[in-house]
Amino acid sequence: MTSKQQYYENTANTIIKNLKRRRMDGYYCPTSAEAVDLAMSLTHAGDTVGTGGSMSLEECGMMEQLRARTDITFLDRAAGKNPEEVYDLLHRMLSSDTYFMSTNAITMDGELVNIDGTGNRLAALIYGPAQVIIVAGMNKVAADVPSAYQRVKAIATPLNCVRLSKNTPCAQTGKCGDCLGDDSICSQIVVTRRSGIVGRIKVILIGEELGY
């Protein structure tokens, strides 16, 4: 085990203990392959499954595995042929059995920090799906909530705006402009400090750098 791998594991163990205090289940997987296997074991035959938009889910292979499963009903937003179909899929996901997403940041104390444009991902995180499985690389870890918020503004949002071809100050300059324009993806800011239902939120930390 390398020094970085040991550091990731030690850090993850600290976060997992703090997630438990906050009524969330935490897991650590050194690799994406192990994380996908774990997540699939938590997703049961017959489940209706939805996802938030996430580069982490794509990069770790989770989306590929979900699309390959024939024993679940996967509400794949990529299957929407027009805006109306995508709109319908996003709403159906709010009552799914299992919802997959990543988090923009997670603190050492086990708090989740997320910023959304439309809000469908955060709506599902807060209420609706029976269980929420969050997949996050160790690059998403921040010391505390202010640091997590700064991470989202300085890294996650600008990169996502570039990916989505948004005309925002951060996409052009790399620096948050606290904008209110039509292309802004910073509409809702949510800090999840506790799960209202014990074990509903499950966080799988992966010993790799994934997503933004």
Side-chain angles (χ1 to χ4, degrees), residues 72-120:
I72 63 173
T73 300
F74 181 39
L75 304 175
D76 189 351
R77 62 198 294 160
K81 297 181 180 62
N82 52 57
E84 290 74 21
E85 286 192 11
V86 173
Y87 181 86
D88 180 63
L89 282 167
L90 295 182
H91 276 76
R92 289 170 62 194
M93 289 179 193
L94 296 177
S95 57
S96 59
D97 299 297
T98 300
Y99 189 86
F100 281 85
M101 58 178 282
S102 189
T103 184
N104 295 135
I106 181 169
T107 73
M108 289 294 293
D109 205 33
E111 294 162 297
L112 309 173
V113 177
N114 286 283
I115 295 179
D116 245 14
T118 304
N120 58 290

Side-chain angles (χ1 to χ4, degrees), residues 22-24 125-127 192-201:
R22 298 178 182 279
R23 297 155 58 103
M24 293 181 270
L125 171 62
I126 292 168
Y127 185 81
T192 304
R193 60 176 299 276
R194 173 183 180 273
S195 177
I197 300 172
V198 175
R200 174 179 174 266
I201 299 173

Side-chain angles (χ1 to χ4, degrees), residues 36-201:
V36 170
D37 286 345
L38 172 59
M40 290 303 104
S41 74
L42 297 171
T43 307
H44 308 298
D47 276 3
T48 297
V49 178
T51 70
S54 168
M55 287 305 297
S56 295
L57 293 178
E58 291 283 1
E59 290 176 5
C60 76
M62 200 73 71
M63 295 297 290
E64 180 181 0
Q65 191 62 34
L66 287 171
R67 289 175 177 133
R69 284 189 65 163
T70 59
D71 62 339
I72 63 173
T73 300
F74 181 39
L75 304 175
D76 189 351
R77 62 198 294 160
K81 297 181 180 62
N82 52 57
E84 290 74 21
E85 286 192 11
V86 173
Y87 181 86
D88 180 63
L89 282 167
L90 295 182
H91 276 76
R92 289 170 62 194
M93 289 179 193
L94 296 177
S95 57
S96 59
D97 299 297
T98 300
Y99 189 86
F100 281 85
M101 58 178 282
S102 189
T103 184
N104 295 135
I106 181 169
T107 73
M108 289 294 293
D109 205 33
E111 294 162 297
L112 309 173
V113 177
N114 286 283
I115 295 179
D116 245 14
T118 304
N120 58 290
R121 180 178 64 115
L122 295 186
L125 171 62
I126 292 168
Y127 185 81
Q131 73 168 343
V132 177
I133 297 176
I134 295 173
V135 175
M138 292 301 290
N139 53 306
K140 301 289 189 75
V141 175
D144 50 30
V145 170
S147 299
Y149 180 48
Q150 185 57 39
R151 182 196 183 279
V152 179
K153 288 179 37 172
I155 300 174
T157 298
L159 281 168
N160 275 309
C161 282
V162 171
R163 175 175 67 89
L164 298 170
S165 300
K166 296 293 187 180
N167 183 23
T168 60
C170 67
Q172 301 301 321
T173 69
K175 181 180 180 181
C176 176
D178 197 26
C179 69
L180 297 171
D182 292 343
D183 274 2
S184 174
I185 64 171
C186 298
S187 302
Q188 292 87 21
I189 303 168
V190 171
V191 177
T192 304
R193 60 176 299 276
R194 173 183 180 273
S195 177
I197 300 172
V198 175
R200 174 179 174 266
I201 299 173

Side-chain angles (χ1 to χ4, degrees), residues 6-30 38 106-112 134 136 138 141-142 193 199 201-207:
Q6 187 65 65
Y7 168 75
Y8 280 163
E9 185 172 324
N10 294 346
T11 302
N13 287 337
T14 297
I15 295 170
I16 289 167
K17 289 177 184 176
N18 289 322
L19 286 168
K20 195 68 175 177
R21 288 194 305 115
R22 298 178 182 279
R23 297 155 58 103
M24 293 181 270
D25 294 338
Y27 310 84
Y28 176 69
C29 294
L38 172 59
I106 181 169
T107 73
M108 289 294 293
D109 205 33
E111 294 162 297
L112 309 173
I134 295 173
M138 292 301 290
V141 175
R193 60 176 299 276
I201 299 173
K202 299 173 174 64
V203 180
I204 302 175
L205 296 167
I206 304 175

